[in-house]
């Protein structure tokens, strides 16, 4: 095992106790989230193939092509980003759902990709401050109950000068689309904790990142961005 990957695995194991200790802070919410993804996991890839084709397009490739050094993917899901990472990326992935992580492990093994996986909440990442060079999050902040805390954790675990890479569905700048999203939000939040009206860009700036690139497409519903944690 390469030294960098071994270090990442040891760091994840060493810090896992902290995550288990703090997990009791939100037991009901975490249990609800796990239950949602346990139901969703068997059908997730089928849904995402359609969503990627019509809405997300090349965003996963765009994100992963910019990842460098020690890379953490938050809310990895079933690992749909894995084929797009550079071969030399030192990968770690976390997800709150064991059902999703099991599928990510099978995908990684099938692709011959080495990755350290950990079951963890995006709002309580089990890693030291400044441990990663790149943090990636794809289509997850829309489903994390406390998205502000998740972005703050991404900032914490990034090294100064490190890069945050995000893509998500967001509230559209088009009035008609936005009204539809507001109606849809009334269904998707209680059923699946899937928020239609969020805009991670604002949280990224609030957390202290410097946004280097952002663009929106698909009727303003999809936004991708690259941001940097300023050097100390």
């Amino acid at each position: 095992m390469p030294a960098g990957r071994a270090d990442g695995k040891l760091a994840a194991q060493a810090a896992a106790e902290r995550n288990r200790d703090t997990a009791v802070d939100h037991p009901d919410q975490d249990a609800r989230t796990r239950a949602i993804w346990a139901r969703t996991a068997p059908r997730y890839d089928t849904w995402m193939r359609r969503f990627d084709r019509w809405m997300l397009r090349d965003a996963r490739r765009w994100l992963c092509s910019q990842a460098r050094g020690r890379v953490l993917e938050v809310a990895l899901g079933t690992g749909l980003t894995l084929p797009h990472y550079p071969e030399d990326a030192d990968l770690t992935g976390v997800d709150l759902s064991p059902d999703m992580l099991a599928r990510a492990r099978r995908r990684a093994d099938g692709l011959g990709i080495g990755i350290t996986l950990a079951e963890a909440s995006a709002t309580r990442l089990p890693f030291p401050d400044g441990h990663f060079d790149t943090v990636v999050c794809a289509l997850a902040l829309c489903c994390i109950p406390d998205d502000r805390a998740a972005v703050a954790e991404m900032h914490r675990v990034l090294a100064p000068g490190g890069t945050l890479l995000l893509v998500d569905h967001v509230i559209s700048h088009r009035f008609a689309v936005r009204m539809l999203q507001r109606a849809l939000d009334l269904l998707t939040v209680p059923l699946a904790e899937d928020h239609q009206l969020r805009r991670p860009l604002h949280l990224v700036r609030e957390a202290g990142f410097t946004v280097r690139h952002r663009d929106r497409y698909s009727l303003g519903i999809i936004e991708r961005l690259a941001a940097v944690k300023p050097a100390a």
Side-chain angles (χ1 to χ4, degrees):
M1 178 183 292
R5 187 164 292 132
D7 290 344
K9 185 173 184 178
L10 289 173
Q13 293 171 342
E17 290 299 327
R18 183 183 73 171
N19 192 68
R20 284 196 290 270
D21 291 342
T22 58
V24 296
D25 293 345
H26 310 281
D28 293 340
Q29 182 60 65
D30 286 356
R32 179 174 185 268
T33 299
R34 290 189 182 96
I36 288 170
W37 291 109
R39 295 194 304 268
T40 303
R43 302 181 297 278
Y44 184 79
D45 286 0
T46 300
W47 293 345
M48 283 299 103
R49 276 195 292 270
R50 300 188 186 100
F51 189 83
D52 284 14
R53 183 181 304 116
W54 297 108
M55 300 293 291
L56 207 59
R57 302 176 194 170
D58 69 340
R60 295 187 198 275
R61 184 177 296 108
W62 182 87
L63 288 182
C64 298
S65 67
Q66 301 176 73
R68 298 290 183 272
R70 288 182 172 179
V71 180
L72 171 66
E73 183 164 345
V74 176
L76 176 68
T78 63
L80 290 173
T81 53
L82 291 178
H84 305 298
Y85 280 108
E87 290 185 3
D88 60 349
D90 179 8
L91 296 175
T92 299
V94 300
D95 201 284
L96 187 61
S97 167
D99 299 88
M100 300 292 272
L101 279 176
R103 285 164 171 78
R105 169 53 66 196
R106 290 197 291 271
R107 175 168 274 118
D109 290 346
L111 293 168
I113 293 173
I115 183 171
T116 300
L117 297 179
E119 183 181 329
S121 168
T123 61
R124 299 181 303 282
L125 295 172
F127 307 104
D129 295 356
H131 187 70
F132 295 97
D133 303 298
T134 307
V135 172
V136 175
C137 188
L139 290 179
L141 284 171
C142 55
C143 296
I144 295 171
D146 192 346
D147 53 340
R148 176 174 279 100
V151 173
E153 276 290 88
M154 295 176 201
H155 186 276
R156 180 184 67 78
V157 301
L158 265 174
T163 301
L164 174 68
L165 300 165
L166 298 180
V167 64
D168 222 316
H169 66 74
V170 302
I171 185 169
S172 176
H173 61 282
R174 299 193 179 194
F175 178 78
V177 177
R178 192 162 63 248
M179 292 303 99
L180 288 173
Q181 288 177 300
R182 290 189 185 281
L184 186 60
D185 198 63
L186 298 174
L187 295 175
T188 60
V189 173
L191 289 176
E193 201 67 55
D194 186 8
H195 295 258
Q196 310 300 316
L197 308 178
R198 289 180 171 178
R199 188 88 188 277
L201 172 67
H202 304 315
L203 301 181
V204 168
R205 286 174 169 161
E206 179 184 297
F209 287 99
T210 299
V211 176
R212 295 290 175 84
H213 174 91
R214 65 183 178 91
D215 63 345
R216 299 174 75 174
Y217 55 94
S218 295
L219 301 177
I221 296 173
I222 303 299
E223 184 166 48
R224 58 188 185 182
L225 63 86
V228 175
K229 179 177 178 177

